């Protein structure tokens, strides 16, 4: 965001792939969080995840922040990433928000339309803010 990075340029791709390899070699990482992913190339992200799988191993958890309240769109994005990406369950967050404001007080419907129902293995149901501020 506010950066003009050409992910399709071979030198840029090579540099970013090397940086991820370096991170994996220097730190004991268990994964990466990719922020604002709807703002850059999905094909680049898919290639990056494939590169991580090939160089660091498939054990890394890949979490993307794609703020869209449509579980079908999110599910399709996960499938495009070969099910190697988890996304924050924005529709579920929206349900919690509606319930907290008394707009939709029936808690039995909280999971209706959520990513957790469609792609439970790829749905991150914790707040994105609590994941980025958690310590320990």
């Amino acid at each position: 965001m506010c950066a003009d990075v050409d992910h399709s340029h071979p030198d840029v791709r090579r540099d970013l792939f090397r940086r991820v390899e370096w991170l994996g070699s220097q730190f004991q990482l268990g994964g990466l969080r990719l922020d604002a992913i709807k703002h850059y190339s999905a094909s680049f992200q898919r290639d990056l995840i494939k590169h991580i799988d090939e160089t660091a191993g498939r054990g890394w958890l890949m979490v993307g922040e794609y703020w869209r309240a449509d579980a079908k769109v999110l599910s399709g994005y996960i499938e495009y990433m070969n099910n190697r990406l988890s996304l924050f369950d924005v529709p579920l967050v929206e349900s919690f928000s509606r319930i907290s404001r008394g707009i939709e007080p029936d808690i039995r419907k909280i999971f209706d339309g959520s990513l957790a129902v469609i792609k439970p293995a790829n749905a991150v149901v914790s707040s994105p803010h609590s994941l980025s501020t958690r310590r320990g």
Side-chain angles (χ1 to χ4, degrees), residues 49-50 52-53 57-63 77-86 122:
I49 292 170
K50 180 181 177 195
I52 290 169
D53 287 347
R58 291 188 55 87
W60 279 23
L61 173 64
M62 306 301 296
V63 176
Y77 202 85
I78 289 167
E79 289 172 12
Y80 183 75
M81 297 297 161
N82 299 312
N83 294 298
R84 277 291 291 125
L85 180 69
S86 294
N122 299 87

Side-chain angles (χ1 to χ4, degrees), residues 65-83:
E65 183 264 327
Y66 190 134
W67 207 256
R68 177 99 181 244
D70 184 334
K72 289 181 183 176
V73 170
L74 298 176
S75 175
Y77 202 85
I78 289 167
E79 289 172 12
Y80 183 75
M81 297 297 161
N82 299 312
N83 294 298

Side-chain angles (χ1 to χ4, degrees), residues 4 6 17 20 25 28 33 45 49 63 66 71 86 90-91 94 97 100 102 104 111 113 133:
D4 191 11
D6 182 1
F17 286 14
V20 170
S25 72
Q28 291 184 331
R33 175 180 166 165
Q45 292 170 58
I49 292 170
V63 176
Y66 190 134
S86 294
V90 178
E94 297 277 327
S97 177
S100 72
E104 192 177 288
F111 285 101
T133 59

